[in-house]
């Protein structure tokens, strides 16, 4: 796995995570969340930035460029989990805008923005589907959460996989920002846990598109995340293949194994509310859960290059051989 130092992204003392790879105009771009720690935006708030990567070693060759989003409400907003994709030859970013409701619970909505390579936002859309028009983007709306949609571009048309199982496909209507359902069809998965969308889907073989899902298991209130590949045939709109087993599981490192119990207690204690201590915990520990989270993948010749976030504090690139991935998939009946 190829590590990308935070020092080469937002800075040594800034956690960068949940990255999204995309190819655009001959460049490989890496978008990522980074923690914004100011008096107005405490350490639970994040923003999104990007760098250009060397196509050989996947190391940054440009400076950390923040995307200049404008919040959809007057409330302090956090911008999370970028999914970068190219639609109608333009660079787009799907991301989550979240705000805290008066109850203290987070509300989130899926937003898409066209951006340029200077980080300027050209236009922003809020797809209307499900409960996406909620308190996160409109102070007059009810609290709700929407996230983990998976973009899929077919020609000039933009689709989202709203859910993986049942496979719920929706088509975006740019003229009025609404979405229409294409289908919702359940299928039998050998995974016993809920499958959530991670990366945009990209072309593979003929009418098949490939993407990555994530899921997690819960033990002693700790989530352990894992991920796998899945294939969608767009002529039949069905999942045809899926990883036989997770391709990657978020195993805790030595540091977490040795000090995790103590740091978990500190994380959930009143002391973590102290700005500097909460920020320090983010940097050295990341998250009490065991998290891997991928938001992007690109075609890399005979391989896939996949961007992976670890434990809410680091970014990595993993290279997967297409033949080996194909051999590892199970057929969905």
């Amino acid at each position: 796995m190829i590590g990308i130092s935070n020092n080469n992204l937002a800075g040594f003392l800034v956690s960068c995570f949940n990255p999204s790879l995309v190819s655009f105009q001959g460049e490989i771009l890496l978008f990522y969340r980074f923690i914004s720690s100011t008096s107005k935006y405490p350490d639970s708030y994040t923003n999104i930035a990007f760098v250009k990567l060397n196509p050989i070693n996947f190391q940054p060759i440009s400076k950390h460029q923040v995307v200049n989003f404008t919040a959809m409400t007057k409330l302090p907003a956090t911008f999370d989990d970028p999914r970068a994709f190219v639609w109608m030859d333009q660079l787009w970013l799907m991301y989550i805008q979240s705000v805290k409701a008066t109850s203290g619970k987070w509300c989130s909505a899926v937003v898409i923005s066209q951006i340029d390579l200077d980080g300027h936002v050209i236009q922003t859309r809020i797809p209307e589907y499900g409960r996406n028009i909620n308190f996160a983007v409109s102070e007059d709306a009810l609290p709700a959460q929407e996230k983990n949609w998976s973009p899929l571009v077919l020609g000039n048309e933009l689709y989202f996989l709203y859910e993986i199982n049942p496979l719920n496909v929706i088509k975006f209507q740019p003229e009025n920002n609404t979405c229409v359902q294409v289908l919702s069809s359940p299928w039998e998965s050998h995974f016993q846990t809920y499958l959530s969308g991670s990366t945009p889907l990209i072309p593979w073989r003929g009418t098949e598109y490939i993407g990555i899902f994530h899921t997690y298991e819960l033990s002693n209130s700790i989530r352990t995340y894992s991920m796998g590949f899945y294939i969608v045939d767009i002529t039949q709109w069905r999942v045809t293949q899926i990883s036989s087993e997770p391709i990657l599981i978020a195993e805790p490192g030595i540091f977490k194994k040795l000090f995790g119990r103590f740091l978990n207690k500190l994380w959930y204690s009143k002391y973590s509310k102290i700005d500097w201590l909460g920020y320090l915990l983010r940097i050295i520990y990341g998250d009490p859960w065991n998290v891997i989270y991928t938001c992007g993948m690109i075609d890399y010749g005979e391989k896939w290059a996949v961007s992976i976030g670890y434990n809410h504090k680091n970014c990595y690139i993993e290279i997967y051989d297409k033949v080996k991935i194909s051999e590892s998939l199970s057929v969905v009946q």
Side-chain angles (χ1 to χ4, degrees), residues 174-248:
E175 61 273 13
N176 57 14
N177 294 330
T178 61
C179 295
V180 295
Q181 187 180 66
V182 177
L183 91 163
S184 179
S185 177
W187 51 279
E188 292 189 14
S189 169
H190 57 269
F191 286 90
Q192 300 302 307
T193 50
Y194 184 78
L195 306 182
S196 296
S198 284
T199 68
L201 283 86
I202 61 176
W204 190 9
R205 302 173 298 199
T207 58
E208 292 180 327
Y209 280 65
I210 188 169
I212 293 177
F213 66 86
H214 69 271
T215 187
Y216 66 85
E217 294 186 352
L218 191 63
S219 177
N220 297 322
S221 300
I222 299 296
R223 293 184 182 184
T224 296
Y225 281 68
S226 60
M227 66 186 209
F229 287 92
Y230 67 107
I231 309 296
V232 172
D233 189 317
I234 60 168
T235 58
Q236 307 173 63
W237 283 120
R238 71 182 189 91
V239 177
T240 57
Q241 292 179 285
I242 190 170
S243 292
S244 299
E245 57 186 23
I247 59 169
L248 190 62

Side-chain angles (χ1 to χ4, degrees), residues 72-73 133-142:
M72 299 294 104
T73 72
I133 305 300
N134 63 55
F135 187 75
V137 291
S138 173
E139 295 175 47
D140 297 325
L142 295 174

